[in-house]
Amino acid sequence: MKKTIALGLILLALCALPAFSGVNMGTVAGYYGIEASETTLTISGTDYDSEGEKISAGMLVKGSSYFDLNSTLGVNYMVRVGKVLEYTQNGTAQDVDDMDLTWDVGVGISYQMPVAYQTLFEAGVGIQYTNTKNEIPTGGTPIDLEFDTFSLSAYAEVNIAIQPAMYFTAGVHGLMPVYSNVTANMGSVSLDSEVTGSTLAFAPYVGISYAY
């Protein structure tokens, strides 16, 4: 419940940011994500080593807010919702049909500059929160996992004007986790767990942006 309230307050704050800025850019885009990971999941003293690759696709809504027409620095905020299309774990393809939608939300600092006639370059860094679910087969009752992950995020994009105040946007977004909390459950039993390792994800995206 506390996590839900905290995330709700973050989303409310992100939605309110444009009201306090002078120049805004809103983007709706589709993305194609690729993720590679090497992790060790420790559950009640037992280590589960895993090498995984995920391919996913989804939609993102991103905004950037600058405080006046001459400002190159501002804030950015992003929400993404996606579906895992392929998942390989330790060289074995996994069934993804029953996997829940993934989602994440983030906020950061953005930088924007003109690079050509009616063309803008924008980049940003920040923190992203991601919620994902998975399970470990045990031959009996599987272990259900829920990951709450905080990552360093970065993006770079080019915005090309196609109409006054409307842009074609193409960019790439990357994530590198820095902290992950995992909740493990086997039936009605909650298990002590922790996760270590490294993960790197990036996602090219294309869409339409509107300046206001």
Side-chain angles (χ1 to χ4, degrees):
M1 177 63 70
K2 291 182 179 180
K3 181 178 69 177
T4 301
I5 293 174
L7 291 175
L9 291 175
I10 291 173
L11 288 173
L12 181 61
L14 297 184
C15 293
L17 280 173
F20 298 97
S21 63
V23 180
N24 303 288
M25 180 83 81
T27 302
V28 177
Y31 74 86
Y32 181 84
I34 301 172
E35 177 185 306
S37 63
E38 294 183 5
T39 59
T40 298
L41 184 63
T42 303
I43 301 177
S44 297
T46 302
D47 290 341
Y48 298 88
D49 295 323
S50 175
E51 293 185 7
E53 295 182 359
K54 286 183 182 179
I55 295 176
S56 59
M59 298 292 296
L60 68 85
V61 177
K62 184 182 74 68
S64 302
S65 296
Y66 299 86
F67 294 98
D68 60 61
L69 289 173
N70 298 317
S71 176
T72 58
L73 290 177
V75 293
N76 67 74
Y77 31 95
M78 179 185 297
V79 178
R80 302 192 309 170
V81 178
K83 179 72 173 69
V84 177
L85 304 179
E86 298 180 16
Y87 178 33
T88 301
Q89 187 176 39
N90 296 327
T92 302
Q94 306 295 311
D95 183 10
V96 299
D97 291 340
D98 295 329
M99 293 184 71
D100 293 338
L101 293 176
T102 62
W103 62 271
D104 54 51
V105 58
V107 64
I109 299 171
S110 57
Y111 172 80
Q112 185 183 78
M113 63 176 290
V115 293
Y117 177 66
Q118 293 188 329
T119 301
L120 300 173
F121 171 78
E122 182 174 299
V125 294
I127 294 292
Q128 202 96 355
Y129 168 81
T130 306
N131 177 268
T132 56
K133 295 180 180 179
N134 201 351
E135 70 175 29
I136 298 176
T138 61
T141 302
I143 301 175
D144 294 319
L145 307 173
E146 182 174 2
F147 295 87
D148 298 302
T149 304
F150 291 88
S151 304
L152 293 175
S153 69
Y155 74 91
E157 66 183 33
V158 175
N159 298 286
I160 303 171
I162 53 178
Q163 289 185 10
M166 185 174 290
Y167 296 81
F168 169 77
T169 298
V172 62
H173 177 249
L175 292 173
M176 185 176 69
V178 293
Y179 172 77
S180 186
N181 177 71
V182 58
T183 301
N185 295 285
M186 179 181 287
S188 59
V189 179
S190 181
L191 307 174
D192 294 331
S193 55
E194 62 177 299
V195 60
T196 58
S198 61
T199 301
L200 185 63
F202 71 96
Y205 59 89
V206 293
I208 298 295
S209 297
Y210 184 75
Y212 57 98

PDB file of all heavy atoms in Angstrom, residues 98-117:
ATOM      1  N   ASP A  98       1.844 -15.802 -20.477  1.00  0.00           N
ATOM      2  CA  ASP A  98       1.181 -15.463 -19.221  1.00  0.00           C
ATOM      3  C   ASP A  98       1.919 -14.394 -18.426  1.00  0.00           C
ATOM      4  O   ASP A  98       1.518 -14.068 -17.302  1.00  0.00           O
ATOM      5  CB  ASP A  98       1.035 -16.719 -18.352  1.00  0.00           C
ATOM      6  CG  ASP A  98       0.109 -17.755 -18.987  1.00  0.00           C
ATOM      7  OD1 ASP A  98      -0.825 -17.336 -19.700  1.00  0.00           O
ATOM      8  OD2 ASP A  98       0.327 -18.964 -18.765  1.00  0.00           O
ATOM      9  N   MET A  99       2.984 -13.843 -18.983  1.00  0.00           N
ATOM     10  CA  MET A  99       3.730 -12.813 -18.262  1.00  0.00           C
ATOM     11  C   MET A  99       2.949 -11.501 -18.259  1.00  0.00           C
ATOM     12  O   MET A  99       2.373 -11.104 -19.273  1.00  0.00           O
ATOM     13  CB  MET A  99       5.110 -12.611 -18.893  1.00  0.00           C
ATOM     14  CG  MET A  99       6.040 -13.807 -18.741  1.00  0.00           C
ATOM     15  SD  MET A  99       7.709 -13.520 -19.395  1.00  0.00           S
ATOM     16  CE  MET A  99       8.350 -12.356 -18.181  1.00  0.00           C
ATOM     17  N   ASP A 100       2.916 -10.844 -17.109  1.00  0.00           N
ATOM     18  CA  ASP A 100       2.190  -9.584 -16.971  1.00  0.00           C
ATOM     19  C   ASP A 100       2.857  -8.479 -17.786  1.00  0.00           C
ATOM     20  O   ASP A 100       4.033  -8.560 -18.143  1.00  0.00           O
ATOM     21  CB  ASP A 100       2.138  -9.156 -15.502  1.00  0.00           C
ATOM     22  CG  ASP A 100       1.307 -10.090 -14.655  1.00  0.00           C
ATOM     23  OD1 ASP A 100       0.451 -10.802 -15.229  1.00  0.00           O
ATOM     24  OD2 ASP A 100       1.506 -10.112 -13.428  1.00  0.00           O
ATOM     25  N   LEU A 101       2.097  -7.428 -18.058  1.00  0.00           N
ATOM     26  CA  LEU A 101       2.672  -6.237 -18.657  1.00  0.00           C
ATOM     27  C   LEU A 101       3.726  -5.644 -17.722  1.00  0.00           C
ATOM     28  O   LEU A 101       3.578  -5.686 -16.501  1.00  0.00           O
ATOM     29  CB  LEU A 101       1.590  -5.195 -18.926  1.00  0.00           C
ATOM     30  CG  LEU A 101       0.546  -5.531 -19.993  1.00  0.00           C
ATOM     31  CD1 LEU A 101      -0.500  -4.417 -20.048  1.00  0.00           C
ATOM     32  CD2 LEU A 101       1.189  -5.712 -21.354  1.00  0.00           C
ATOM     33  N   THR A 102       4.789  -5.125 -18.289  1.00  0.00           N
ATOM     34  CA  THR A 102       5.798  -4.426 -17.503  1.00  0.00           C
ATOM     35  C   THR A 102       5.535  -2.927 -17.568  1.00  0.00           C
ATOM     36  O   THR A 102       4.955  -2.433 -18.542  1.00  0.00           O
ATOM     37  CB  THR A 102       7.213  -4.716 -18.017  1.00  0.00           C
ATOM     38  OG1 THR A 102       7.333  -4.236 -19.367  1.00  0.00           O
ATOM     39  CG2 THR A 102       7.494  -6.212 -18.005  1.00  0.00           C
ATOM     40  N   TRP A 103       5.935  -2.227 -16.547  1.00  0.00           N
ATOM     41  CA  TRP A 103       5.769  -0.781 -16.559  1.00  0.00           C
ATOM     42  C   TRP A 103       6.876  -0.131 -15.746  1.00  0.00           C
ATOM     43  O   TRP A 103       7.458  -0.743 -14.856  1.00  0.00           O
ATOM     44  CB  TRP A 103       4.397  -0.366 -16.009  1.00  0.00           C
ATOM     45  CG  TRP A 103       4.144  -0.749 -14.585  1.00  0.00           C
ATOM     46  CD1 TRP A 103       3.608  -1.913 -14.123  1.00  0.00           C
ATOM     47  CD2 TRP A 103       4.415   0.042 -13.424  1.00  0.00           C
ATOM     48  NE1 TRP A 103       3.531  -1.910 -12.757  1.00  0.00           N
ATOM     49  CE2 TRP A 103       4.018  -0.725 -12.304  1.00  0.00           C
ATOM     50  CE3 TRP A 103       4.951   1.305 -13.224  1.00  0.00           C
ATOM     51  CZ2 TRP A 103       4.143  -0.256 -11.001  1.00  0.00           C
ATOM     52  CZ3 TRP A 103       5.088   1.770 -11.924  1.00  0.00           C
ATOM     53  CH2 TRP A 103       4.669   0.992 -10.834  1.00  0.00           C
ATOM     54  N   ASP A 104       7.188   1.094 -16.091  1.00  0.00           N
ATOM     55  CA  ASP A 104       8.153   1.857 -15.323  1.00  0.00           C
ATOM     56  C   ASP A 104       7.824   3.340 -15.412  1.00  0.00           C
ATOM     57  O   ASP A 104       7.098   3.790 -16.299  1.00  0.00           O
ATOM     58  CB  ASP A 104       9.599   1.570 -15.756  1.00  0.00           C
ATOM     59  CG  ASP A 104       9.834   1.757 -17.238  1.00  0.00           C
ATOM     60  OD1 ASP A 104       9.472   2.812 -17.775  1.00  0.00           O
ATOM     61  OD2 ASP A 104      10.393   0.856 -17.872  1.00  0.00           O
ATOM     62  N   VAL A 105       8.379   4.087 -14.472  1.00  0.00           N
ATOM     63  CA  VAL A 105       8.150   5.526 -14.399  1.00  0.00           C
ATOM     64  C   VAL A 105       9.449   6.184 -13.956  1.00  0.00           C
ATOM     65  O   VAL A 105      10.205   5.611 -13.154  1.00  0.00           O
ATOM     66  CB  VAL A 105       6.995   5.855 -13.422  1.00  0.00           C
ATOM     67  CG1 VAL A 105       7.274   5.315 -12.032  1.00  0.00           C
ATOM     68  CG2 VAL A 105       6.721   7.345 -13.358  1.00  0.00           C
ATOM     69  N   GLY A 106       9.751   7.349 -14.500  1.00  0.00           N
ATOM     70  CA  GLY A 106      11.016   7.985 -14.154  1.00  0.00           C
ATOM     71  C   GLY A 106      10.959   9.493 -14.254  1.00  0.00           C
ATOM     72  O   GLY A 106      10.042  10.079 -14.838  1.00  0.00           O
ATOM     73  N   VAL A 107      11.982  10.117 -13.699  1.00  0.00           N
ATOM     74  CA  VAL A 107      12.114  11.568 -13.724  1.00  0.00           C
ATOM     75  C   VAL A 107      13.595  11.896 -13.771  1.00  0.00           C
ATOM     76  O   VAL A 107      14.433  11.136 -13.270  1.00  0.00           O
ATOM     77  CB  VAL A 107      11.428  12.209 -12.495  1.00  0.00           C
ATOM     78  CG1 VAL A 107      12.111  11.780 -11.204  1.00  0.00           C
ATOM     79  CG2 VAL A 107      11.393  13.727 -12.610  1.00  0.00           C
ATOM     80  N   GLY A 108      13.951  13.030 -14.389  1.00  0.00           N
ATOM     81  CA  GLY A 108      15.360  13.377 -14.489  1.00  0.00           C
ATOM     82  C   GLY A 108      15.566  14.794 -14.991  1.00  0.00           C
ATOM     83  O   GLY A 108      14.651  15.621 -15.001  1.00  0.00           O
ATOM     84  N   ILE A 109      16.789  15.067 -15.419  1.00  0.00           N
ATOM     85  CA  ILE A 109      17.195  16.366 -15.948  1.00  0.00           C
ATOM     86  C   ILE A 109      17.393  16.238 -17.456  1.00  0.00           C
ATOM     87  O   ILE A 109      17.940  15.237 -17.929  1.00  0.00           O
ATOM     88  CB  ILE A 109      18.502  16.839 -15.285  1.00  0.00           C
ATOM     89  CG1 ILE A 109      18.302  17.000 -13.779  1.00  0.00           C
ATOM     90  CG2 ILE A 109      18.995  18.157 -15.883  1.00  0.00           C
ATOM     91  CD1 ILE A 109      19.587  17.256 -13.019  1.00  0.00           C
ATOM     92  N   SER A 110      16.950  17.231 -18.202  1.00  0.00           N
ATOM     93  CA  SER A 110      17.052  17.180 -19.662  1.00  0.00           C
ATOM     94  C   SER A 110      17.819  18.385 -20.192  1.00  0.00           C
ATOM     95  O   SER A 110      17.886  19.442 -19.556  1.00  0.00           O
ATOM     96  CB  SER A 110      15.664  17.123 -20.308  1.00  0.00           C
ATOM     97  OG  SER A 110      14.875  18.220 -19.915  1.00  0.00           O
ATOM     98  N   TYR A 111      18.396  18.209 -21.383  1.00  0.00           N
ATOM     99  CA  TYR A 111      19.149  19.247 -22.070  1.00  0.00           C
ATOM    100  C   TYR A 111      18.691  19.284 -23.529  1.00  0.00           C
ATOM    101  O   TYR A 111      18.553  18.229 -24.163  1.00  0.00           O
ATOM    102  CB  TYR A 111      20.642  18.948 -22.003  1.00  0.00           C
ATOM    103  CG  TYR A 111      21.502  19.880 -22.850  1.00  0.00           C
ATOM    104  CD1 TYR A 111      21.832  21.145 -22.405  1.00  0.00           C
ATOM    105  CD2 TYR A 111      21.955  19.470 -24.102  1.00  0.00           C
ATOM    106  CE1 TYR A 111      22.611  21.999 -23.174  1.00  0.00           C
ATOM    107  CE2 TYR A 111      22.734  20.311 -24.878  1.00  0.00           C
ATOM    108  CZ  TYR A 111      23.056  21.573 -24.414  1.00  0.00           C
ATOM    109  OH  TYR A 111      23.813  22.412 -25.188  1.00  0.00           O
ATOM    110  N   GLN A 112      18.436  20.479 -24.051  1.00  0.00           N
ATOM    111  CA  GLN A 112      17.932  20.611 -25.422  1.00  0.00           C
ATOM    112  C   GLN A 112      18.691  21.723 -26.151  1.00  0.00           C
ATOM    113  O   GLN A 112      19.007  22.762 -25.559  1.00  0.00           O
ATOM    114  CB  GLN A 112      16.436  20.936 -25.405  1.00  0.00           C
ATOM    115  CG  GLN A 112      15.791  20.965 -26.780  1.00  0.00           C
ATOM    116  CD  GLN A 112      14.328  21.376 -26.702  1.00  0.00           C
ATOM    117  OE1 GLN A 112      14.006  22.546 -26.562  1.00  0.00           O
ATOM    118  NE2 GLN A 112      13.439  20.393 -26.761  1.00  0.00           N
ATOM    119  N   MET A 113      18.976  21.474 -27.441  1.00  0.00           N
ATOM    120  CA  MET A 113      19.641  22.491 -28.247  1.00  0.00           C
ATOM    121  C   MET A 113      19.266  22.307 -29.710  1.00  0.00           C
ATOM    122  O   MET A 113      19.021  21.181 -30.169  1.00  0.00           O
ATOM    123  CB  MET A 113      21.166  22.393 -28.101  1.00  0.00           C
ATOM    124  CG  MET A 113      21.766  21.092 -28.609  1.00  0.00           C
ATOM    125  SD  MET A 113      23.577  21.074 -28.522  1.00  0.00           S
ATOM    126  CE  MET A 113      23.957  22.272 -29.796  1.00  0.00           C
ATOM    127  N   PRO A 114      19.172  23.387 -30.494  1.00  0.00           N
ATOM    128  CA  PRO A 114      18.940  23.261 -31.931  1.00  0.00           C
ATOM    129  C   PRO A 114      20.225  22.786 -32.616  1.00  0.00           C
ATOM    130  O   PRO A 114      21.325  23.229 -32.274  1.00  0.00           O
ATOM    131  CB  PRO A 114      18.575  24.680 -32.358  1.00  0.00           C
ATOM    132  CG  PRO A 114      19.205  25.561 -31.330  1.00  0.00           C
ATOM    133  CD  PRO A 114      19.193  24.790 -30.048  1.00  0.00           C
ATOM    134  N   VAL A 115      20.079  21.868 -33.587  1.00  0.00           N
ATOM    135  CA  VAL A 115      21.245  21.362 -34.321  1.00  0.00           C
ATOM    136  C   VAL A 115      21.162  21.664 -35.808  1.00  0.00           C
ATOM    137  O   VAL A 115      22.153  21.570 -36.516  1.00  0.00           O
ATOM    138  CB  VAL A 115      21.410  19.839 -34.109  1.00  0.00           C
ATOM    139  CG1 VAL A 115      21.771  19.545 -32.666  1.00  0.00           C
ATOM    140  CG2 VAL A 115      20.142  19.087 -34.513  1.00  0.00           C
ATOM    141  N   ALA A 116      19.988  22.017 -36.286  1.00  0.00           N
ATOM    142  CA  ALA A 116      19.792  22.371 -37.692  1.00  0.00           C
ATOM    143  C   ALA A 116      18.472  23.097 -37.784  1.00  0.00           C
ATOM    144  O   ALA A 116      17.742  23.261 -36.796  1.00  0.00           O
ATOM    145  CB  ALA A 116      19.803  21.127 -38.591  1.00  0.00           C
ATOM    146  N   TYR A 117      18.123  23.536 -38.990  1.00  0.00           N
ATOM    147  CA  TYR A 117      16.871  24.255 -39.186  1.00  0.00           C
ATOM    148  C   TYR A 117      15.695  23.365 -38.791  1.00  0.00           C
ATOM    149  O   TYR A 117      15.524  22.261 -39.311  1.00  0.00           O
ATOM    150  CB  TYR A 117      16.743  24.686 -40.646  1.00  0.00           C
ATOM    151  CG  TYR A 117      15.436  25.391 -40.959  1.00  0.00           C
ATOM    152  CD1 TYR A 117      15.146  26.632 -40.397  1.00  0.00           C
ATOM    153  CD2 TYR A 117      14.507  24.790 -41.808  1.00  0.00           C
ATOM    154  CE1 TYR A 117      13.950  27.266 -40.666  1.00  0.00           C
ATOM    155  CE2 TYR A 117      13.309  25.421 -42.094  1.00  0.00           C
ATOM    156  CZ  TYR A 117      13.032  26.664 -41.520  1.00  0.00           C
ATOM    157  OH  TYR A 117      11.840  27.285 -41.805  1.00  0.00           O
TER     158      TYR A 117
END
